[in-house]
Amino acid sequence: MKIWAKRLALFCVGLMLLGGSSAWAGATIKLGVVTKPGSAQNVCAEKFKELLEARSDYQVKIYHSASLGTETQILQQIQMNTVQMGVITAGPFDVFIPEVRVINYPFLFADAREVDQVLDGPAGQKLLKALEKARFKGLAFSENGFRHLTNNVRPVHTVDDVKGIKIRVMESVLHKELWRLLGANPTPMGWPIYTELQQGTIDAQENPLWVIWTYKLYEVQKYLSLTGHVYSAHIDVANLDWFNGLPAADQELIQRCMQEAALYQRQWNRDNEADFLSKLKAAGMQVNEHPDLATFRARVSDIRNLDIYAGSEVQAMLEAFLD
Ligand code: PAF
């Protein structure tokens, strides 16, 4: 080693010892969310930033409002480590890791209590671990919430009312297949989609109430049916190799901050849901609060036998979640 290089190395070690902290202290973590401030993902990301910055020298820079592209593109950037972390809807993960189709299984959870039991238990941990195959470190589950259908064609009460409707779905294998089974005409697209709804390129979309309110979809969608067909989690992830390269104490801290942020955000979502519904009604949406869900369930009862759930690992994950 040249003399100047030795000196530089010693100087760096000296600095680290003096500061009593790691070479990562003060590093900036790039975190991507597709949504805009005020959205569920952003609430989680901002809480994480607040907690981590208060407890360490890390800085968290949040890239939001689709500035990094779609959720699929953010996941690719996390894989490349040009972005280290993300709060991403579970849907688009299932292109990378088929096991994630399990968490998007239709009508899987009855309510938030059941969601928490499963996601915070062994099945949730197993799913977070499975993400490592695609080089993601699964840190926690925050939530998007239960997804409901909006459209511009007709009020939807039974599954037959969905027939032929052009619906935007997430870039997700499960979501596309689900809406095909239900009889609609699904088109996968990234987010946002206001213009496509406004221009009539698509007639329908499905999302939790906070999305319909925050993105003003009530201006371009007339009918809302509370179908709750899929519970939509966010999976809060980091690049696996970046994460594993951090000192153990930092890994533990980042994980803990994200878990706390996720729990805080789930509560935020639940506390605000009734309010979002009232606002959507007041804004003039025609709401069917009790669609005939039995007709929807019947149409998808065989979904677990389709190719999208084939393979021993996916089936094992399904067993863990359906148990
Ligand atoms: O439909 C989607 O793409 C997602 O639900 C959204 C709106 C990005 C929120 O997570």
Side-chain angles (χ1 to χ4, degrees), residues 248-296:
D250 294 13
Q251 292 183 18
E252 206 261 323
L253 179 66
I254 288 174
Q255 177 121 36
R256 194 152 27 86
C257 290
M258 189 51 103
Q259 281 165 351
E260 282 179 39
L263 288 182
Y264 168 88
Q265 185 274 345
R266 281 190 218 168
Q267 200 51 51
W268 172 90
N269 211 28
R270 293 162 194 181
D271 289 347
N272 286 300
E273 220 180 4
D275 187 41
F276 287 132
L277 184 57
S278 315
K279 285 174 171 159
L280 291 171
K281 285 181 185 165
M285 285 198 96
Q286 286 186 33
V287 183
N288 180 351
E289 293 195 49
H290 303 287
D292 183 353
L293 294 182
T295 62
F296 284 79

Side-chain angles (χ1 to χ4, degrees), residues 206-258:
E206 44 78 60
N207 251 305
L209 298 178
W210 74 261
V211 177
I212 304 166
W213 175 254
T214 309
Y215 279 89
K216 295 189 170 27
L217 299 190
Y218 54 84
E219 291 178 355
V220 288
Q221 293 279 268
K222 193 163 172 191
Y223 306 107
L224 164 62
S225 292
L226 300 188
T227 45
H229 48 279
V230 164
Y231 171 77
S232 191
H234 302 142
I235 314 185
D236 310 325
V237 291
N239 173 289
L240 181 65
D241 300 309
W242 168 78
F243 185 82
N244 285 343
L246 298 175
D250 294 13
Q251 292 183 18
E252 206 261 323
L253 179 66
I254 288 174
Q255 177 121 36
R256 194 152 27 86
C257 290
M258 189 51 103

Side-chain angles (χ1 to χ4, degrees), residues 53-179:
E53 290 183 353
R55 296 174 189 174
S56 73
D57 291 330
Y58 282 101
Q59 300 294 309
V60 180
K61 180 152 175 48
I62 300 173
Y63 293 82
H64 57 82
S65 309
S67 59
L68 297 177
T70 64
E71 291 197 301
T72 305
Q73 288 165 336
I74 300 175
L75 286 174
Q76 286 161 345
Q77 290 166 67
I78 296 172
Q79 281 183 319
M80 291 185 296
N81 197 26
T82 49
V83 174
Q84 285 70 49
M85 297 181 67
V87 175
I88 310 287
T89 319
F93 274 95
D94 80 357
V95 177
F96 298 78
I97 310 125
E99 281 94 322
V100 180
R101 289 168 207 168
V102 169
I103 201 178
N104 295 319
Y105 196 84
F107 303 107
L108 179 62
F109 298 116
D111 52 30
R113 199 182 51 83
E114 230 176 85
V115 166
D116 292 348
Q117 257 173 13
V118 176
L119 295 192
D120 298 335
Q125 288 311 305
K126 197 172 152 88
L127 187 61
L128 290 180
K129 188 77 189 155
L131 304 180
E132 295 189 5
K133 282 195 235 168
R135 312 308 298 162
F136 296 114
K137 169 73 188 172
L139 297 167
F141 295 104
S142 46
E143 79 173 17
N144 215 12
F146 285 92
R147 301 181 79 89
H148 305 292
L149 176 67
T150 69
N151 87 96
N152 250 343
V153 179
R154 60 181 88 95
V156 170
H157 186 60
T158 76
V159 74
D160 289 338
D161 298 324
V162 165
K163 197 169 167 41
I165 285 183
K166 284 184 288 172
I167 185 169
R168 173 269 177 181
V169 293
M170 284 187 285
E171 294 169 319
S172 148
V173 175
L174 178 275
H175 278 265
K176 186 165 179 220
E177 194 56 28
L178 172 63
W179 285 97

Side-chain angles (χ1 to χ4, degrees), residues 3-25:
I3 189 77
W4 63 266
K6 270 191 189 156
R7 281 192 183 139
L8 182 64
L10 280 172
F11 176 71
C12 291
V13 171
L15 271 186
M16 278 163 57
L17 291 175
L18 269 179
S21 60
S22 74
W24 285 267

